[in-house]
Amino acid sequence: MFRPFESFFLELGRTTQIFVRVLLWTFRPPYDPRQWLTQMVRVGIQSIPVVLLTAVFTGGVMALQIFTVLARFGAENYVGSIVGLAMVRELAAVLGALMIAGRCGAAMGAELGAMRVTQQIDALEVLATDPVHYLIVPRVWATTLALPLLIALADAVGIFGGYVVSVIVMGANPATYLDITFRYMDANDVMSGLIKAAVFGLLIATIGCSKGFHAKGGAEGVGRATTAAVVTGSIAVLVVNFFLTKLMF
Amino acid sequence: MTQPTFKIRLQGIHKSFGPKHVLTGLDLDIAEGESLVILGGSGSGKSVLLKHIIGLLQPDEGTVEVDGVDLSTLGQRQLIEFRRRFGMSFQEGALFDSMTVWQNIAFPLQRARPRIATADISARVEQCLESVGLQGVDDKVPAELSGGMRRRVGFARAIALQPQILLFDEPTTGLDPVMTAVIDEVINNLRRRLGSTTITITHDLTSAFRIADRIAMLHRGQILAVAPPDEFRASDDPRLQQFLEGRAEGPLTDDPPPQTTQVPDP
Ligand SMILES: Nc1ncnc2c1ncn2[C@@H]1O[C@H](COP(=O)(O)OP(=O)(O)OP(=O)(O)O)[C@@H](O)[C@H]1O
Ligand SMILES: [Mg+2]
């Protein structure tokens, strides 16, 4: 009956332990710029299309929905403001992070899991290399750095999506729409979204790596690690998002 | 008379995986510069034993000492540093599959000396590959190699830094007799030229007698016998005789297996 709780705390303990090891090893040489670069490219550059697609369609659909609702009490003019604020404060970061959990969290779980079950992680240790230092440190920080950058881009593209839909589909006035979008938005709104994004990046990578690092049991084990990396990563993003929002506003 | 200096000393090692008691109070001393061969049935715990020596596995009970240092007293970071004196080749190769052969062998060199020149690395990588009879595979990735080639690359990676202690887990299994002799020669050379201590697991008796200063037989989680090759061969222990002759029937197979704790079904 207590199995789920037990395994929850076991997992929490493992992930925390990995995170502590990441902190301890971050500032120790040797640094491996190639690993960092590879991870930045994989998480940052190669995720741009998915994140932007997510953002542009979310912005568009938000504009459709909010326009319909606001039209009921004649407040269509404010669509831009609501779409913009929703994107930068909440949607870009959360939806973007969920996509990254599916894309990069899964990849980390699978890659490290495969390395674990084929003893490549043991081989690293034998070659006097701490696997957390070599494999996980670059992944965690690359993801933590890349996510806010991606989300900043997503903010812009999401707002653009809303703008296009409003102007072309709903016939809103382009100048007014843009004016309204930015009139009620300040730097704090944007910053809060970007801070969230950084925290999500940290969570996704730490969880994904921890799942892979502790994988066992052949191909099936790698599969389990991959699934767990996505599911746990996504849930962590949603739960932590709630508390961060509560904290920041 | 000087005391024999032990490079590696295992005392009272117990190790279980769940209900399975793999090592049951194993004692073993290995002298500096010695070449020890470990024989034993499949699944008897040879690989597990080797992983204890390098600290990849920790004993449930007992101590592992290397150069007089009890491994369990080392912190995570110290243990990583300590491993610089070791080289190990894995039974399954354990090559980094996202790297080429060249990068695999260069890896320990680059990690140990971050400022080393690429030309020096290349020279050493070539030398290692040549010594295991491989040429022109630098740019291949492990997936493109045969099983025996992969094993030899793993071997080359283990010896790249010329460490003091070398652990080889079945380095010649799956190799043809000529290649086996080549690898055996490399092991003998390492010991002669560098005075390395080598521990080799093998199922190949010819190979064992060719490289061993002493042969140890692992059975039921303990060292059944350890002796120089001639004594080992001449032993009248019926269990050793059965193993050396490769008979299906005999005391090794007749012995009732040790009790494993029964786990009741929930
Ligand atoms: N990580 C592990 N988890 C659970 N059981 C293990 C683990 N490693 C080894 N074992 C068990 O320990 C026993 C000994 O395994 P080991 O790999 O040492 O055998 P071996 O002597 O090397 O055999 P072989 O000659 O076939 O390689 C086996 O029964 C194996 O199932
Ligand atoms: Mg084995």
Side-chain angles (χ1 to χ4, degrees):
Chain A
M1 200 163 77
F2 296 104
R3 276 281 167 73
F5 292 104
E6 243 174 66
S7 69
F8 172 78
F9 285 110
L10 176 75
E11 287 301 326
L12 192 66
R14 278 178 174 174
T15 313
T16 316
Q17 202 192 353
I18 291 283
F19 181 63
V20 171
R21 278 174 76 181
V22 166
L23 290 182
L24 289 178
W25 279 104
T26 296
F27 300 103
R28 285 179 191 161
Y31 304 103
D32 202 321
R34 232 178 336 150
Q35 282 284 314
W36 285 75
L37 197 67
T38 316
Q39 294 307 323
M40 281 303 281
V41 168
R42 267 195 219 164
V43 182
I45 313 280
Q46 294 176 0
S47 305
I48 290 178
V50 224
V51 172
L52 294 198
L53 269 176
T54 313
V56 78
F57 279 99
T58 308
V61 83
M62 286 285 291
L64 283 179
Q65 292 278 20
I66 290 169
F67 190 93
T68 325
V69 175
L70 291 192
R72 291 181 193 162
F73 32 91
E76 304 95 308
N77 278 346
Y78 292 94
V79 171
S81 182
I82 299 185
V83 171
L85 284 173
M87 284 311 294
V88 300
R89 287 172 67 112
E90 189 67 46
L91 290 177
V94 172
L95 294 180
L98 291 179
M99 298 309 281
I100 297 293
R103 199 181 171 278
C104 306
M108 291 173 196
E111 197 179 355
L112 267 64
M115 290 187 77
R116 166 62 75 192
V117 303
T118 55
Q119 302 195 346
Q120 291 176 57
I121 290 188
D122 287 345
L124 278 177
E125 291 210 25
V126 165
L127 297 170
T129 301
D130 187 275
V132 171
H133 188 204
Y134 183 74
L135 295 171
I136 305 187
V137 168
R139 281 173 172 74
V140 165
W141 295 129
T143 317
T144 309
L145 276 175
L147 256 192
L149 301 178
L150 278 171
I151 298 310
L153 218 59
D155 285 345
V157 171
I159 289 172
F160 173 75
Y163 170 84
V164 168
V165 168
S166 296
V167 170
I168 296 180
V169 184
M170 311 300 199
N173 178 310
T176 336
Y177 185 91
L178 281 184
D179 176 47
I180 283 286
T181 300
F182 297 110
R183 187 183 301 169
Y184 302 103
M185 186 186 295
D186 61 29
N188 280 340
D189 293 316
V190 179
M191 276 313 291
S192 74
L194 299 186
I195 292 172
K196 277 183 182 181
V199 175
F200 296 159
L202 189 73
L203 280 172
I204 291 167
T206 311
I207 291 171
C209 290
S210 165
K211 295 290 180 191
F213 192 75
H214 293 108
K216 54 169 172 253
E220 199 193 327
V222 178
R224 268 199 308 269
T226 312
T227 313
V230 180
V231 174
T232 315
S234 307
I235 290 177
V237 164
L238 295 173
V239 173
V240 168
N241 178 49
F242 176 82
F243 290 103
L244 274 183
T245 310
K246 189 89 178 52
L247 210 72
M248 286 197 287
F249 302 117
Chain B
M1 271 300 284
T2 49
Q3 281 284 330
T5 49
F6 293 116
K7 190 77 176 165
I8 298 166
R9 165 165 259 185
L10 298 126
Q11 282 177 310
I13 305 287
H14 284 266
K15 182 69 179 180
S16 303
F17 294 102
K20 197 167 170 62
H21 205 162
V22 179
L23 301 180
T24 55
L26 178 143
D27 298 307
L28 183 62
D29 290 329
I30 299 153
E32 172 126 36
E34 176 179 34
S35 167
L36 182 83
V37 166
I38 299 174
L39 300 177
S42 190
S44 58
K46 302 182 297 296
S47 299
V48 169
L49 169 59
L50 220 54
K51 287 178 187 165
H52 275 83
I53 296 176
I54 199 168
L56 278 178
L57 291 173
Q58 283 76 41
D60 299 336
E61 262 178 64
T63 55
V64 181
E65 271 173 44
V66 178
D67 289 333
V69 178
D70 180 350
L71 292 191
S72 66
T73 62
L74 296 176
Q76 219 163 43
R77 200 178 162 194
Q78 290 167 311
L79 185 60
I80 290 286
E81 282 300 315
F82 200 77
R83 293 223 179 88
R84 293 203 190 283
R85 14 191 127 181
F86 288 94
M88 174 171 180
S89 77
F90 287 81
Q91 191 169 358
E92 321 290 347
L95 299 179
F96 302 125
D97 53 19
S98 59
M99 298 184 194
T100 63
V101 166
W102 191 93
Q103 288 168 331
N104 262 283
I105 302 173
F107 186 87
L109 302 166
Q110 288 162 332
R111 295 294 291 187
R113 289 189 287 153
R115 262 180 276 276
I116 186 174
T118 312
D120 294 341
I121 298 181
S122 280
R124 181 67 190 141
V125 170
E126 282 320 311
Q127 203 182 356
C128 288
L129 280 174
E130 205 175 315
S131 72
V132 297
L134 285 172
Q135 258 142 11
V137 295
D138 300 44
D139 297 327
K140 293 203 191 310
V141 291
E144 298 170 322
L145 303 178
S146 76
M149 290 162 92
R150 246 176 269 160
R151 206 178 280 271
R152 282 183 282 160
V153 175
F155 185 90
R157 185 177 68 182
I159 63 172
L161 278 174
Q162 307 190 321
Q164 313 160 20
I165 306 172
L166 283 150
L167 312 177
F168 301 121
D169 197 344
E170 303 196 16
T172 56
T173 303
L175 298 187
D176 63 71
V178 176
M179 254 316 126
T180 303
V182 168
I183 298 281
D184 289 347
E185 195 50 38
V186 176
I187 296 177
N188 282 335
N189 269 334
L190 281 167
R191 189 163 40 105
R192 269 201 302 269
R193 285 216 304 266
L194 305 169
S196 305
T197 308
T198 62
I199 304 171
T200 313
I201 295 176
T202 186
H203 287 297
D204 181 338
L205 295 176
T206 326
S207 185
F209 286 109
R210 200 151 47 200
I211 60 179
D213 291 328
R214 286 192 306 159
I215 299 179
M217 167 95 186
L218 183 63
H219 181 57
R220 297 275 147 79
Q222 298 189 351
I223 299 294
L224 192 64
V226 48
D230 296 336
E231 273 178 47
F232 195 88
R233 209 191 318 243
S235 160
D236 47 17
D237 187 323
R239 291 171 297 188
L240 299 192
Q241 286 310 320
Q242 184 195 349
F243 193 85
L244 293 179
E245 288 162 24
R247 275 183 282 113
E249 264 128 59
L252 285 180
T253 27
D254 292 346
D255 248 354
Q259 293 284 309
T260 51
T261 345
Q262 280 293 312
V263 188
D265 280 329

